[in-house]
Amino acid sequence: MEETIAGAQNTQLTGQIPQQRGESLLETAVRYAEERHWDVFPGTWLESVDGTQRCSCGEAGCPAPGAHPARPDWATLATGSATVARRMWQKQPTASILLPTGRTFDALSVPESAGFLALARMERMELTLGPVTLSPDRRMHFFVLPGASAKVPDLVRTLGWSLTSLDLVALGEGAYVAAPPTRFGSRGAVQWACRPTPANRWLPDAEELISPLAYACGRDR
């Protein structure tokens, strides 16, 4: 299932992941592990209750229905093995696809409005981006090399900003992002703003992206 924002960036080349619309969550999770070497783990899923889609966690007011870990030991379940991933999604084919950060990548999370502004600036600066997701909770996640969560506070201070004044969060060990085509209840699915391609297999360092991201978050306050 291909979930990409129409017209987003010129980095959408052949060989992207996911490859085809209609691809199941199982097939997509396996492709992430097999082709991108990302760790994956199944999260919650959506269930129909009285005609309404509810999160499998059972919480009526779940803030991320069908798009969060299903158990507290989720980090131990994450696997980079396509075989193990296939086995896990065979048990629950509608489970969301979650990617732990702090392993093969960290993620810089910013508000959607700041993310689009930053993408425009990065394109003008001709920066090489890694994959970027857009979630229905109106957050963008820029994939960068591991270690970003430790670097970002000092990088932001060097630019003259206070991290507490910016809605910019570095996700590292112990955190995760939801991957396309995971759905957040009735709010829609996670999409690629910049999808994974052979051209962006090597991720940028946080230091390369922090200036336009911090600027965009500052403008977005």
Side-chain angles (χ1 to χ4, degrees):
M1 186 178 297
E2 184 179 326
E3 294 288 351
T4 310
I5 300 169
Q9 289 275 331
N10 57 7
T11 54
Q12 297 172 17
L13 309 174
T14 57
Q16 69 271 15
I17 300 174
Q19 192 171 46
Q20 297 178 350
R21 289 186 181 277
E23 201 168 51
S24 70
L25 287 159
L26 182 155
E27 292 166 333
T28 304
V30 168
R31 281 165 59 78
Y32 288 146
E34 193 168 55
E35 297 184 14
R36 204 70 181 191
H37 305 297
W38 288 338
D39 282 5
V40 297
F41 68 97
T44 53
W45 56 92
L46 296 172
E47 299 175 333
S48 182
V49 180
D50 297 328
T52 302
Q53 286 192 323
R54 297 278 182 85
C55 185
S56 61
C57 73
E59 186 178 333
C62 179
H68 65 86
R71 42 194 286 182
D73 62 344
W74 61 264
T76 65
L77 297 178
T79 179
S81 164
T83 300
V84 176
R86 182 178 299 278
R87 192 180 306 133
M88 289 194 294
W89 267 271
Q90 283 174 338
K91 292 179 180 178
Q92 182 48 255
T94 58
S96 52
I97 303 174
L98 306 180
L99 311 174
T101 51
R103 298 188 182 188
T104 50
F105 64 87
D106 279 6
L108 303 180
S109 174
V110 299
E112 172 188 316
S113 52
F116 278 117
L117 176 60
L119 280 175
R121 288 178 64 85
M122 290 173 185
E123 189 169 10
R124 290 195 297 272
M125 295 166 69
E126 298 184 348
L127 294 177
T128 300
L129 296 179
V132 181
T133 64
L134 172 63
S135 301
D137 59 0
R138 306 183 72 85
R139 302 289 299 184
M140 273 189 176
H141 298 91
F142 290 73
F143 289 22
V144 294
L145 289 172
S149 57
K151 294 180 180 179
V152 164
D154 285 341
L155 290 173
V156 169
R157 280 193 292 271
T158 299
L159 293 170
W161 295 95
S162 164
L163 192 59
T164 56
S165 69
L166 301 178
D167 190 1
L168 191 163
V169 181
L171 302 175
E173 187 175 357
Y176 65 90
V177 295
T182 294
R183 299 193 67 83
F184 279 54
S186 61
R187 287 185 285 171
V190 183
Q191 302 177 68
W192 290 115
C194 290
R195 54 183 142 176
T197 72
N200 65 17
R201 182 172 293 279
W202 301 105
L203 298 176
D205 191 278
E207 192 168 359
E208 300 172 57
L209 306 187
I210 199 66
S211 178
L213 284 173
Y215 171 82
C217 288
R219 284 282 301 272
D220 195 53
R221 289 185 302 171

